[in-house]
Amino acid sequence: MIIQLTPNCSPAKRQTIESAMASSGMTVSPVDTQFRNYLIGLGGKEFDIRAIGCLAGVDDIHFVDDAYQLVSRMWKTNTTTVDLGDGVQIGPNEWTLMAGPCSIEGEEQIVAVADKLVEQGIRIMRGGVYKPRTSPYAYRGGGLDFLKLWYKHCRERGLKIVSEVMDVRQIDEMAPYVDIFQVGTRNAQNFNLLDALGKVDRAVMLKRGMSGTIDELLQAAEYVFSAGNEKIILCERGIRTFETAYRNTMDMNAIAILKDKSHLPVIADPSHGIGLRKYVPQLALASLLAGADGIIIETHPQPEKSISDAQQTIGFQELEKLVAKMKRLKAADVV
Amino acid sequence: MIIQLTPNCSPAKRQTIESAMASSGMTVSPVDTQFRNYLIGLGGKEFDIRAIGCLAGVDDIHFVDDAYQLVSRMWKTNTTTVDLGDGVQIGPNEWTLMAGPCSIEGEEQIVAVADKLVEQGIRIMRGGVYKPRTSPYAYRGGGLDFLKLWYKHCRERGLKIVSEVMDVRQIDEMAPYVDIFQVGTRNAQNFNLLDALGKVDRAVMLKRGMSGTIDELLQAAEYVFSAGNEKIILCERGIRTFETAYRNTMDMNAIAILKDKSHLPVIADPSHGIGLRKYVPQLALASLLAGADGIIIETHPQPEKSISDAQQTIGFQELEKLVAKMKRLKAADVV
Amino acid sequence: MIIQLTPNCSPAKRQTIESAMASSGMTVSPVDTQFRNYLIGLGGKEFDIRAIGCLAGVDDIHFVDDAYQLVSRMWKTNTTTVDLGDGVQIGPNEWTLMAGPCSIEGEEQIVAVADKLVEQGIRIMRGGVYKPRTSPYAYRGGGLDFLKLWYKHCRERGLKIVSEVMDVRQIDEMAPYVDIFQVGTRNAQNFNLLDALGKVDRAVMLKRGMSGTIDELLQAAEYVFSAGNEKIILCERGIRTFETAYRNTMDMNAIAILKDKSHLPVIADPSHGIGLRKYVPQLALASLLAGADGIIIETHPQPEKSISDAQQTIGFQELEKLVAKMKRLKAADVV
Amino acid sequence: MIIQLTPNCSPAKRQTIESAMASSGMTVSPVDTQFRNYLIGLGGKEFDIRAIGCLAGVDDIHFVDDAYQLVSRMWKTNTTTVDLGDGVQIGPNEWTLMAGPCSIEGEEQIVAVADKLVEQGIRIMRGGVYKPRTSPYAYRGGGLDFLKLWYKHCRERGLKIVSEVMDVRQIDEMAPYVDIFQVGTRNAQNFNLLDALGKVDRAVMLKRGMSGTIDELLQAAEYVFSAGNEKIILCERGIRTFETAYRNTMDMNAIAILKDKSHLPVIADPSHGIGLRKYVPQLALASLLAGADGIIIETHPQPEKSISDAQQTIGFQELEKLVAKMKRLKAADVV
């Protein structure tokens, strides 16, 4: 059960509501975010919801019988818009495109990509400065110095930044330079990281775990929300299956279902979803018809020379074609 | 290596070519289909292809280094059109829609569906009269009598029929009434059935196995082709993964890759691909952008009363909306 | 619900029982096997079981609420022993070992293996004469001639034969020479084949499908049983997962659960279960502790020269060591 | 390439060796552990290994062509023994048993379990004080206070402690009270955590990721080793597959292969590997025959009342039987 408190609900009123919930056998978890205050009640015996709904300080009350609560569409029927400021939003009817290299490699690369994004009307640049690598001997990213450099160029061009955070200790140092913290597939159930991201007022994009269920992704989002941060974006990036003809299995079903079960916006990542450059644009378009609110895509001035993920990174020409097709597709009005 | 023989290649010339191939160390498999005659050479040492290419009786010669040969696009670069007659074709730029109930249930249902298809400009009706069922005690379909009844109504309306064959012994009895033999996911590697379908001049639609790889699907097609039948359609219908939020995982990546690796047309089956009615239309449209040449979909006058697959069967209103969206999508020209 | 009829239950009595079942709303399926006669009742409303249990002709009556009926241990609590005659049995406390080559390759190989089996006290020889091959151009087995030759040598030595049947049309021709019909993983849900094997009085060993669930394997067994054949053996041979370090993922959990849910004997196939010769013996032993009633293993006088499955076939020395270890393990009495 | 330096290799000698490696085109990574100093060379052109092997300061030199280096058996052929002090070791011929509850719940439970372990001759107690939970609203463990209480009772009884660490920030506070840091399946590729555990002189047990490959598990171990900690234990705890009849698919193949590819000891976790109490003991025994060096098992004085993982926790009677069977199995000498 979700109780949304009135904006200025006094501690005394709040206490009265909590007591009423507890006396119905519920376990009560208070949730205070950058926007609102909630009380989450779990378990408990059946009772007349109006007995609590009529209490002072209760703005809204809902039963939610999913495993997750605050991220459920049972409670909030409109899709959430995550606002990054300066007119950059992720949400319904936006078809947000985020693009950029796998790894931030240096100033020349940053400028080349950033200029291309501006030219194409793209407002969010992706890139990695902390890279999760299977082998400890592989390149692990340019770190904070590269992030600051990248930030400077994005700021100058009005671009927003999405970048992966791997460790609780990186949050504070990255926060001034990042608009969206990305949580990678390997940290999809790193609950301490999720909790910590709930305490910072930055958007968080959660990638689905390699073998994470739809339910687990939504529960990960519930971690962030219940720790205090409502600015959450879900990301489908392919799952691990038996097929070896490609890198991951892009799960379009998940996009459709996530959109239906949750009010959070869903971004598709076809670059990781198939892992082969040639097929990325067609899967990007397909994702939008499956229901995605946007796309995140790897692009590079010289894709084959990318430090990482070269196989799945597209060039600028393919990016331009994709942007043009997205416009024509939008105009067709079939979603 | 694929050698396409000239239409009237004499036995003597053929023998000369086979000998030349054998003397290069190749194992030679002759393939004679309803359209052409081929010699497939596998293994062998390197040699100058022109030494064979110049022989009388050789129309065309290609090296193919895929695990499959005749179904590879390395050999035949244009997508194959499977022609069912009366102007009904499956192939490039067609976006063929096949629709109908999971099971053929009786005349009233047949007529209701057939009339709706005609109204919507759909030319191929799907339906099952032999049903593979997990439990031996479940309904196994109406059999040949229902097929004949169904055929009568389709013939009157100019509709073509696609229906599943489960057993070699059913081929001859079904052949007069069926335009496309469907091989179900459970028979995806029933090699004796595939061989037998190579001997009959009817189109064959091969569903991917529940845990079948892309390569295995193409090798299954190679079975049918090499046994004598070139009229083959591939069908992606979802694979089995760890996710339980839906029935199968629709593999859009596979559609993109099958289209790239093979010249055979590819049909998407979103009904089985997700297994939940609500999401079928959006996945149908997404499949077309992923590259599919068409869609097969389960529909029923009263979906929730379907004898089988009720959960994933859409009603006529949803079908109409899908047809309309397919037209708008086609017009957007984004594929 | 399973009703076991008395051995000489008259048609009239049987009719009375069927009527009583039908009047309780059940769908009744008669099952007549080589051993007994049953009536299976599914669905229906709740009623006092004694009302039927007391009817003449009813020998035994059980409620079974699994998806499967006759193969359930809820009905038959003792593990079934499948008797092949001449003292060769598969069942509890036997730890049956079946061994032999993947493909029967010729007389020399047959004799070498058969003699080794006799020497080691092994009573069942495995081998393939009809081989399911992913590619249509691969070797498909020696066929009936090889089977007859093989049979001759086995008969002389008191060995029983287990061999794969791929097609309904092969059953009659193979039956005189085979003691156990093996149904391969690719035909695990070839329901017409399962039905046909229910009509022949030969033991049937059902391999689990590559992505077959435990429930699906038991339902496949229910097909054979309900079609008339009680001599069924289940076989775990590994499933398809994301891991590529080996051929299949041997599912020891399935062995434990199959033994618990069903009264049918379970054989483990570590050769296919891991697909790498080096590890086969240790997995064979582990399977026995997981609960298997026996092992089927690929062996060859010159493993690396096997026509098929060379990678997973063990030599005679390894076979001898395994037999010795099985004896010591049996003596340890830890199952 | 792994170069093991002599115990007192001077900085100057080390520099000479590094230079020689670099001049062969290799990337050099120095690794300094609690036991030894190494130089890891990756890439580079072919050269005569003796040119470096003869340099002063080189104790040993090996080519390793696996994706991992220091954890490979290509370099170190004997299985590593991880020594916890007081005669408690994990390694070859030990068949170490670790047992205890999923969650540490309080003093009464601690004492009951600890006493039972002592009685049964078990030297390592497992338990969780920081619990990774899918839902943010679930119980997350008793924390440091419970760990200290638990430690007191273990110390008094000569028991060692294995417990999960979820966050870099927990390492220092937990280290005084823990003998083995367990890294859970959800953190299997939390590379920052792995790196940090490389800096602390405590044994680390790495659980395989839910969909982690064998190779990824070994690379995770390489992270810990290359960051400075050689005391590593691998743990197979089941993988995520399509089967839903149990919690995870215990991968016995992985045990066999891990033991072959790496010199690190391997522990099997059948409690999570199947997730159903009834089958845990037989899978524990099977794991030992598959090659495991030991078992970790969940036990509780009242299993069905466990705060977490109740379904898979065994009672003391089952534990006693398992200990007895392990002894008889050991005596049978079949591994």
Side-chain angles (χ1 to χ4, degrees), chain D residues 127-147:
Chain D
V129 296
Y130 292 114
K131 302 298 304 171
R133 303 306 296 271
T134 302
S135 165
Y137 307 116
Y139 175 72
R140 300 201 202 175
L144 199 59
D145 290 344
F146 271 38
L147 178 58

Side-chain angles (χ1 to χ4, degrees), chain D residues 314-325:
Chain D
I314 64 170
F316 288 170
Q317 260 194 317
E318 286 71 34
L319 183 68
E320 291 170 23
K321 283 186 202 158
L322 176 61
V323 169
K325 285 189 173 182

Side-chain angles (χ1 to χ4, degrees), chain A residues 228-277:
Chain A
N229 188 351
E230 299 199 16
K231 297 178 179 170
I232 307 168
I233 303 153
L234 305 174
C235 182
E236 162 59 34
R237 47 77 71 199
I239 54 173
R240 193 166 264 186
T241 68
F242 61 83
E243 180 62 71
T244 57
Y246 45 69
R247 185 174 180 188
N248 293 297
T249 301
M250 186 76 186
D251 184 1
M252 297 284 181
N253 289 2
I255 294 175
I257 291 177
L258 285 169
K259 287 295 302 172
D260 189 41
K261 298 291 184 196
S262 174
H263 55 83
L264 297 173
V266 175
I267 297 294
D269 175 357
S271 304
H272 290 85
I274 188 160
L276 300 165
R277 183 186 306 153

Side-chain angles (χ1 to χ4, degrees), chain D residues 73-143:
Chain D
R73 202 182 273 276
M74 289 181 72
W75 162 61
K76 196 178 161 199
T77 51
N78 292 325
T79 296
T80 290
T81 294
V82 173
D83 194 336
L84 304 178
D86 305 320
V88 184
Q89 294 186 328
I90 297 152
N93 305 312
E94 294 285 339
W95 281 11
T96 307
L97 186 53
M98 311 177 184
C102 177
S103 295
I104 296 297
E105 297 171 9
E107 190 152 24
E108 196 180 349
Q109 179 223 37
I110 292 170
V111 169
V113 176
D115 285 346
K116 177 53 66 177
L117 299 196
V118 170
E119 178 203 297
Q120 293 297 313
I122 299 169
R123 301 293 306 276
I124 305 176
M125 182 164 165
R126 65 148 287 152
V129 296
Y130 292 114
K131 302 298 304 171
R133 303 306 296 271
T134 302
S135 165
Y137 307 116
Y139 175 72
R140 300 201 202 175

